[in-house]
Amino acid sequence: MEKIIAKLGLGSCGVAAGAGEVWTELEKVISENKLPVQLEKTACIGMCFEEPVLELSGKCKPGVMLGKVTPADVKGVLEGYLLDKLDYQNIILHEHKPAVHNELIANQQRIVLRNCGKIDPESLEDYEAAGGYQALRKALKMLPLEIIEMVKASGLRGRGGAGFSTGMKWQFAHSARNDKKYVVCNADEGDPGAFMDRSTLEGDPHSIIEGMIIGAYAIGSDEGYLYVRAEYPMAIKHLKKALIDAEAKGYLGNGILGTKFNFELHIKEGAGAFVCGEETALMQSIEGKRGMPTIRPPFPAESGLWGKPTNINNVETWANIAWIITHGADAFRQFGTEKSPGTKVFALAGKIKNSGLIEVPMGMTLHDVIYKVGGGIRNDRQFKGVQLGGPSGGCVPASLLDTTVDYDSINKTGAIMGSGGMVVMDEDTCMVDIARFFLNFTQNESCGKCTFCRIGTRRMLEILTRITEGKGEDGDIEKLEELAVNIIKGSLCGLGQTAPNPVLTTLRYFRDEYIAHIRDKKCPAHSCSALLTYTIVPDKCVGCTLCARNCPAYCISGEVKKPHVIDQSKCIKCGACFTNCKFNAIIKD
Amino acid sequence: MASIEVILNGTKVAAETGMTILDLARRHGIEIPTLCHDEELKPYGSCWVCAVEVKGRRGFVTSCGTYLTDGMEITTDNEAIRQARKMALELLVSDHYADCEAPCKIACPDHVDVQGYVSLIANGQYHEAVRVIKDTLPMPLSIGRVCPAFCEKECRRQLVEDPIAIRQLKRYAADEDLNDSWTYVPEKLPDRGKKIAVIGGGPSGLTCGYYLSNNGYAVDVFEASPAAGGWLRYGIPEYRLPKAVLDREIELMCTNGMKIHTGRVMGKDVFLDQLSRDYDAVYVAIGAQKAVPMPVKGSDLQGCYLGVDFLKAHALGNTPKLGKKVAIVGGGNTAIDCARTSVRLGAEVSIIYRRTRDEMPAEPFEIDAAEHEGVTFYMLSNPVEYMGDKGVLKEVKIEKMKLGEPDSSGRRRPEPTGEYFTKQFDNIIAAISQVPDTDALAMPENQVEGKAFPISRWSTAVINEDNMYTGLKNVFAGGDFRRGAATAIEAIADGRLAAEMIGRYLQGQDMQPPKNRFDAKKGHTIREISPKEYEQFDVRPREQMPEIPLPEARTSFAEVEKGFPWQQAKTEAERCLECGCQVNETCFLRQYATDYEVDPVRFLGSRNSHPIDASHPYILRDANKCVNCGRCIRTCAEVQGAGVLGYIYRGFPTMVAPEFGQSLTQTTCESCGKCINVCPVGALVDRNLYYKLNPLAKDVTIQSCGLCGTGCSVKIEAESGRVTRITTPDDKEDSPRLNDFFNGRNLCFQGRFGWQSLLQQDRLTEPLVNTGKGWKPVSWTVAGNLIKEHAAKGKTRLEITPYATLEEMLLLQQIAASTYAILSSNGYREQFSDSLWPAHPTDKPYFQLAKYSTCLIFGQISHTLRTMARLHQRKGGRLILVRPPESGYNFFADQVADSLDEVKADLSTLFIYNINHTSEADAFEIWKKAAEVNNDSSNVLMTSDYPNLNGMLALGIRPDQETAPFVMSYGAYPERVEKGAFRVAAVPYFEEDAPADLLLPQATYLEIEGTALADAGTVLHFSNPARSALFNLMLKMLYEINWIAPGLAEPGEWKQKAAQFLQEAEMLKQQGELKVENLIPQFAINARLEELRELRKQEQSGFPRQI
């Protein structure tokens, strides 16, 4: 029998979905039945909504990708594939659901994620087999300035969010005169709903390391730090192994690949403060201090880590470098738009069908990202808005779905590209509440230094909370706007400068909802529980007593087979009656 | 630093690189507020109240953290900037859980500084307490007896158990002050040539007249009654306020020239129109003494009185005849006064009141007292008819009442029930209300310039409440006359405001009250404060004031309250929680909040609440006041070295706390107190173990610290000679003698706090004789005679320590010369380096720090010098430590070495060491190494723990081994004593086992007018901030035993001698006769050192390793 390859996704998303058990079962089934199966592991391929994902392939067979695999499926699946009798029920892809796969994969352009979900991230050989470290070999034959020119020519912009030209940044660090320079990889991904960096770190650690080595060579640095949050244990594990392997192979250390170039790379585990994703705070944290942003200028390129010139880029930026060196700036520019070349990785989350990790060329419309790649809104509900850029970003409404995904277009909407978080919201989402949610996050993560950020965001949060509780007052919106303006203008770092964005964009696009909460004491999305009333329509109520029996506040009364009544004064608005009623006799308003 | 040009508010100005916008603004006199900026620290930019705009930069920038670049366009003021600063302040204030002013002071209608005087009483300073009281309240003897004490109702101590007995403490202070040999009377300002008439000699009129007369105005008070005092005299009964006390109070008030004309009735003897013409201003304070009659059938029966009339008649000695059974109608203080007076007149007394006890307007303690004295209460009762027999009252018909809905006063309205009962009474006294008697004002003679006096329908004066002005020409009015029957303290408040406004009026100033200062408040009333916050305080019940026995109280008019004895008053005053902020006069947040007219409630929301941390003996931390500027954290970590403070938590709860949230005492805190110096608000304040601190202005003395040889400048705050706090002088404070305050804001623990024990613990205050069975205090004369007697027996040996002043050394030198005594140093042995000290004064101490870029510190040196070296390093210098003591400071070092050999020294190296913490052998190595790199001996900064070692060496006082049967030692116990010798020691402290026969109290550096010559030629000046007479007493004694000439018994003489000596030393230096820097070539030093080494070797002892 022909030997087949079974590749299981063992990224964090896969493990969380039960891939660990599937792996054990696979090993067991293969050894017990002596099946001709070569078992391999890989990381996330991006279809987190289908995890655990098992990919089967053979030399003479069409490959299949199977989603939501359970240990119980394993035996049948393997035998079925081997015998060409695979039963595809309940499991996806390729053959039976080509449309989904095609849309999802075909609309993507994978540069950063080129190896993710394909190679074993813990195998340097796999990486090398996929063309890894060829870019480094090429770069070491170039002059540092040639590399910088190439990066500049590629038009690569910082993928951490601000979108500053990476080549320019390198140029500054290159020009800074000092005996010591540092390069840093910002892998302190902290946006709620974002997991781009984690997946890349887990799935293809060498691509980041290779990028950093090239960067260090270009700017003249001999030491670097990977600042990874400690909550990413698998990423750290893979990185650690990758560093050891790379050093053993001479890609790191002294005299890299026979040149005089030395480069040492450390991993610094961050303790999970969101603000440490801000570059000056991140450097303070590496130095062992409390992560608090400092005044810029001086910028890191001039005076960064321990006062030395430092170049900081985020994971996705670094992961682009080797590809650009290998394929050239023009190749990179084939994708994306004039001002935003290349691709962008997004973490699709929220009320979307295909939640997961995607990489699309810049310039695609939001509509296409959400509907073509993302498969549309879950349960086919009405799309309401999409939060771009995490808590620092903003909410783009349905009317602006034609906006293309590039730095400048997105900035125009009031949102930001950010690092790539994309949280999709449907009609059941209250926009005041969503603003409150994001502000609550930034408020809790403020380092506490700047007055406006520390206290101002708290006051905004209190106003928003009041509004969602039906205690909004006239003048609240104006007060929010006034606070927002000064918080943006009077904060040292990006956290404070962007914290009011979710409030400002929702105020811009969904002001009516705020007014409804404040003036009419109503939540149009029927989401803010304090503003809801549940009433029983007597005509529809058959008196089944189900609602009364499920009411935790014992506030529904009525005789059997006669319409029931809710005592509004006691109702705690939990919605149990609404959920339990089988006759749609309860109205939520 | 390169020259650049920037545009500041539209104008091109020159600047240099390296300057911040804040530096530039200050140079150009532009005020930019800032809380987080600190000159010694790197820009931080956390508070954002210094926000400005720079063209091309997004948003605002911090002016403290933005360095100038060529062509930068800066705007420091516009609407957006002002609004942003205001908002930043409003946000800070919204989480600044603090009281600027104590709630008792705010609650007092007259805003008397309660916390101030209570703390002074706790410190035993009642004269000072009275001074503070009389700043706003001139009648503490009376008010201390009769005030309803609005202050106590807001006293936070009641959240622990009971409020402070503020009224009684005020009385205590005033009584003590009155009974003392001198009684406080404020200084009278020069005569201003203007006169004021006051109509009405009650508390309001007297207060107005008092302040005006103090301020240099002539005041005539016209009083209708036979004596002044108003309601205090004719309403308050004797047993609460004895007339004799009131008389004394009024007499005191007239000390500065106020004249009281009694028996002068308005409308009969004096007329308002005429007064307004004869005087420059008139204050009308005629009170509210007309009783409102009770409209009850039968009120005209014989035996029915009105409360006010009854009390007044009694006060005048015409007490109406009372029967056996007396009923009082009403629930106010007047009713209670009538009841208790009637009790004393032998009647069986009842009070009839239509509501319940809870609604009674009288003070609860008064009601209690009445009940205690046997008064019966008929609550919910209303008399509806008085019934008599032959025109004489016999019975009263009373209707039972019930409580209905609250009325406009907030009290539940009494409603009739239709049920009645009847009681027999011989008298009924209705005390329901009073109004001003305004009949006379209707007379044309009392109209001013033909205009009628404005009167309301309640018969009260209609005036502008902000300035007491009536709108008529020069006429002001206030007190009960404008308020209706109120309290004496309110009348006094009006009188004081009127005095201030009349003063302004007469000086042609506007009569607007001053703009309100910003006041942070924890709550507007005590009800808004959670008792939970006060759980950390131990329960200490209120002191009960002693009273006369009940039988005596019921039968006489003797004063019931007897007053506090001093110990009880002190204990009671110590209970004060000090709610008002210690730094409310210097707080930057308060100042800016006032400047920017901050609205304290605009952004009110949730707030952080923390217990006040009083675990450190000298540093009080109140995180509720913290604005998170981080100056304390950064100073401690970046300059001082201990680094014990940090931020904890994230987001809104972010706070400054010691590491791991522990107490400062559990950290490596070195208690230098610099965190307090840099705190822009009151989150970190001083504590004094022996003095209850308060925000009152103190006497400030700028002098030198005398605790070691560094010679820091200090700012000493004292209250009447009691030193309360020592900090460092501000730049603003000026005292040219003091070496430009070279120590900046730096002091060590000893200088900042440690001195507190100097003045307290085991302090020797009088001479003590060792009787063999213990120590016995003796007078200075007896002590002198003992000295004379024993010294006469043979040779005399005198010893002095290098801690003593030049004055004291010169004194001993003089005595030694005139009595042929041996004079020896005490506590200091000769060292090879003696001749290397700069034995002459310098006005630029520690100039070497500017001359050398590298500081090489050997071993332990003084804390201040250590900090100065660190600051020097921060400006670009280097710091090398050799064998340093363990400390966080060592992390600053560019190099830490175990021995000098590991260190490379060059021409830029300054060697610093302290002779008290370095062995002579090591010192020798230091000098040797220094001489090797530089032929200029100024590259060694030799320091010591002795404030006057240089002086002692310059005076030539050296150890002398000769013994004598009489030894008198100055500054320490005798060092060389032969058996059986009589030992005298002048020392600051007492020790039970002191090795001496006679102890004399020595003045410390806080108690003497003196001088010293400290390390590096620093001249120290001491100015006796404690106003001590110890040195005078010592001189007097020495003169009495003929050891010094009569002309030398004055401290001033010795001060002059010391100055003369310093001058000579200075001249000698100029002539080059002293061994000084620049004069000793390298080989000379080396030769001298080798010579010394040989000498020591010959002595076969070598250099001692330890001293």
Side-chain angles (χ1 to χ4, degrees), chain B residues 127-145:
Chain B
H127 277 304
E128 290 76 4
V130 168
R131 189 192 71 218
V132 168
I133 294 168
K134 289 198 174 175
D135 274 352
T136 47
L137 166 63
M139 306 185 78
L141 285 168
S142 306
I143 297 301
R145 286 170 166 81

Side-chain angles (χ1 to χ4, degrees), chain A residues 16-201:
Chain A
E21 289 80 15
V22 175
W23 178 263
T24 316
E25 184 66 18
L26 280 166
E27 283 183 323
K28 197 176 135 205
V29 169
I30 293 166
S31 70
E32 278 177 5
N33 300 297
K34 301 201 169 55
L35 296 177
V37 178
Q38 184 183 332
L39 191 54
E40 290 180 2
K41 57 183 159 188
T42 188
C44 174
I45 194 160
M47 289 178 284
C48 307
F49 64 105
E50 291 289 359
E51 292 285 356
V53 174
L54 179 66
E55 194 183 347
L56 300 175
S57 57
K59 265 187 190 145
C60 310
K61 288 175 196 275
V64 287
M65 198 176 271
L66 305 145
K68 294 188 178 150
V69 178
T70 64
D73 299 332
V74 165
K75 193 157 188 249
V77 159
L78 288 180
E79 287 175 351
Y81 188 72
L82 282 165
L83 302 171
D84 297 325
K85 287 183 188 166
L86 190 54
D87 177 11
Y88 290 107
Q89 270 186 3
N90 294 330
I91 42 182
I92 39 159
L93 295 182
H94 257 212
E95 305 279 293
H96 274 222
K97 293 187 189 169
V100 174
H101 184 261
N102 281 350
E103 269 194 10
L104 185 70
I105 301 295
N107 286 310
Q108 293 195 38
Q109 177 59 50
R110 292 167 83 96
I111 293 177
V112 172
L113 305 176
R114 56 192 181 273
N115 296 324
C116 286
K118 293 185 179 165
I119 63 166
D120 178 357
E122 292 187 88
S123 162
L124 175 58
E125 292 70 29
D126 266 22
Y127 181 67
E128 284 174 328
Y133 289 111
Q134 290 307 319
L136 177 62
R137 288 176 198 280
K138 182 176 171 190
L140 290 177
K141 289 180 189 129
M142 296 163 74
L143 291 172
L145 275 175
E146 283 177 328
I147 298 173
I148 291 173
E149 281 309 317
M150 189 188 255
V151 175
K152 269 204 245 175
S154 76
L156 176 64
R157 295 170 69 164
R159 298 293 194 241
F164 189 77
S165 158
T166 303
M168 290 299 287
K169 211 168 178 178
W170 288 20
Q171 174 90 60
F172 293 144
H174 176 85
S175 316
R177 285 163 183 271
N178 211 299
D179 52 345
K180 182 87 189 172
K181 292 178 191 177
Y182 293 97
V183 289
V184 175
C185 172
N186 183 351
D188 191 57
E189 183 174 56
D191 289 359
F195 43 87
M196 301 76 61
D197 294 351
R198 195 201 66 216
S199 296
T200 316
L201 291 163

Side-chain angles (χ1 to χ4, degrees), chain B residues 438-633:
Chain B
T438 56
D439 296 348
L441 286 171
M443 298 166 67
E445 295 91 332
N446 284 331
Q447 296 187 347
V448 181
E449 294 178 323
K451 283 185 218 140
F453 199 98
I455 299 291
S456 75
R457 61 190 175 102
W458 297 280
S459 296
T460 54
V462 180
I463 55 148
N464 181 343
E465 290 180 14
D466 289 338
N467 55 20
M468 303 285 126
Y469 184 54
T470 59
L472 298 175
K473 199 182 165 189
N474 54 359
V475 180
F476 296 74
D480 277 4
F481 179 33
R482 82 154 174 104
R483 294 173 186 258
T487 58
I489 189 71
E490 288 162 290
I492 286 173
D494 279 8
R496 183 166 68 85
L497 181 60
E500 190 188 330
M501 291 303 165
I502 290 170
R504 283 166 164 265
Y505 167 79
L506 293 179
Q507 288 170 49
Q509 296 164 344
D510 73 73
M511 291 191 286
Q512 286 309 307
K515 202 167 89 173
N516 272 341
R517 256 176 116 176
F518 173 80
D519 250 336
K521 292 187 183 80
K522 282 191 174 179
H524 284 88
T525 70
I526 190 121
R527 284 191 296 276
E528 292 174 23
I529 316 287
S530 160
K532 266 196 152 11
E533 289 171 32
Y534 288 80
E535 276 172 357
Q536 70 181 104
F537 297 100
D538 294 335
V539 171
R540 292 176 66 183
R542 174 172 163 133
E543 292 292 317
Q544 294 303 320
M545 183 174 266
E547 295 183 352
I548 60 171
L550 185 59
E552 193 187 343
R554 292 186 57 167
T555 53
S556 79
F557 280 90
E559 189 175 12
V560 174
E561 292 190 331
K562 288 165 76 174
F564 278 136
W566 77 269
Q567 186 56 51
Q568 222 186 339
K570 190 170 156 61
T571 309
E572 179 60 21
E574 280 167 354
R575 293 176 63 233
C576 172
L577 296 174
E578 302 166 31
C579 306
C581 184
Q582 294 288 350
V583 297
N584 60 19
E585 292 300 320
T586 51
C587 173
F588 285 91
L589 183 62
R590 190 181 195 195
Q591 187 196 317
Y592 298 148
T594 305
D595 292 350
Y596 281 80
E597 295 178 359
V598 153
D599 177 356
V601 297
R602 186 149 167 258
F603 291 112
L604 229 47
S606 58
R607 54 169 194 241
N608 295 297
S609 172
H610 313 280
I612 295 169
D613 178 7
S615 59
H616 192 284
Y618 302 102
I619 301 172
L620 188 72
R621 265 186 354 99
D622 185 353
N624 299 299
K625 295 179 182 171
C626 179
V627 293
N628 280 25
C629 73
R631 281 167 76 175
C632 52
I633 296 176

Side-chain angles (χ1 to χ4, degrees), chain B residues 251-501:
Chain B
E251 195 184 313
L252 262 178
M253 291 174 83
C254 293
T255 316
N256 279 339
M258 169 165 64
K259 287 195 182 65
I260 301 173
H261 311 275
T262 54
R264 303 287 293 275
V265 182
M266 180 173 64
K268 199 171 125 210
D269 307 305
V270 289
F271 299 93
L272 188 53
D273 191 36
Q274 190 64 41
L275 289 177
S276 76
R277 270 181 270 139
D278 293 349
Y279 287 84
D280 295 293
V282 185
Y283 181 55
V284 188
I286 55 174
Q289 298 197 15
K290 190 165 132 186
V292 174
M294 198 168 167
V296 174
K297 194 178 163 194
S299 295
D300 50 351
L301 286 168
Q302 205 180 316
C304 296
Y305 307 119
L306 292 175
V308 182
D309 301 339
F310 171 76
L311 290 173
K312 184 162 184 176
H314 173 68
L316 284 165
N318 313 319
T319 317
K321 221 179 148 219
L322 290 185
K324 193 161 181 278
K325 290 186 167 185
V326 177
I328 319 290
V329 184
N333 281 322
T334 306
I336 302 285
D337 286 342
C338 290
R340 294 179 69 188
T341 300
S342 302
V343 168
R344 282 160 176 76
L345 292 170
E348 200 176 287
V349 182
S350 307
I351 287 181
I352 302 170
Y353 181 55
R354 55 194 185 136
R355 303 188 222 223
T356 71
R357 191 179 178 124
D358 289 343
E359 286 83 28
M360 281 179 97
E363 294 310 312
F365 73 92
E366 288 277 332
I367 303 169
D368 292 343
E371 192 170 36
H372 183 60
E373 289 167 6
V375 173
T376 309
F377 289 85
Y378 292 99
M379 296 300 182
L380 289 170
S381 305
N382 195 33
V384 288
E385 190 181 350
Y386 303 155
M387 293 168 294
D389 182 17
K390 297 172 194 161
V392 179
L393 177 73
K394 281 288 175 221
E395 277 182 343
V396 178
K397 186 181 176 192
I398 303 167
E399 183 173 12
K400 284 190 182 172
M401 310 294 277
K402 63 177 185 195
L403 289 179
E405 291 302 304
D407 65 7
S408 60
S409 73
R411 296 177 301 170
R412 292 176 67 186
R413 187 193 302 276
E415 288 170 358
T417 59
E419 288 176 52
Y420 300 92
F421 62 100
T422 307
K423 285 274 165 192
Q424 294 204 337
F425 288 111
D426 300 313
N427 299 92
I428 192 142
I429 305 174
I432 53 166
S433 188
Q434 298 145 243
V435 291
D437 185 349
T438 56
D439 296 348
L441 286 171
M443 298 166 67
E445 295 91 332
N446 284 331
Q447 296 187 347
V448 181
E449 294 178 323
K451 283 185 218 140
F453 199 98
I455 299 291
S456 75
R457 61 190 175 102
W458 297 280
S459 296
T460 54
V462 180
I463 55 148
N464 181 343
E465 290 180 14
D466 289 338
N467 55 20
M468 303 285 126
Y469 184 54
T470 59
L472 298 175
K473 199 182 165 189
N474 54 359
V475 180
F476 296 74
D480 277 4
F481 179 33
R482 82 154 174 104
R483 294 173 186 258
T487 58
I489 189 71
E490 288 162 290
I492 286 173
D494 279 8
R496 183 166 68 85
L497 181 60
E500 190 188 330
M501 291 303 165

Side-chain angles (χ1 to χ4, degrees), chain A residues 273 290 292 295-296 443 445-446 448-452 454-455 458-459 462 479 482 486 489-492, chain B residues 44-48 57 60 65 84 87-88 91-92 94 602-603 605-606 627-628 647 649-652 654:
Chain A
R290 177 183 165 99
M292 287 176 106
I295 300 176
R296 285 174 303 185
Q443 154 62 192
E445 291 295 338
S446 163
K449 184 173 178 179
C450 299
T451 300
F452 287 113
R454 182 180 74 251
I455 311 176
R458 175 63 157 226
R459 299 296 174 240
E462 284 165 357
K479 217 178 209 180
E482 208 182 326
N486 281 322
K489 289 170 83 179
S491 296
L492 280 186
Chain B
Y44 192 60
S46 68
C47 71
W48 282 92
R57 294 280 296 269
F60 300 114
M87 187 187 280
L91 290 172
L92 287 173
S94 73
R602 186 149 167 258
F603 291 112
S606 58
V627 293
N628 280 25
Y647 287 108
Y649 309 133
R650 282 206 290 265
F652 183 66
T654 305

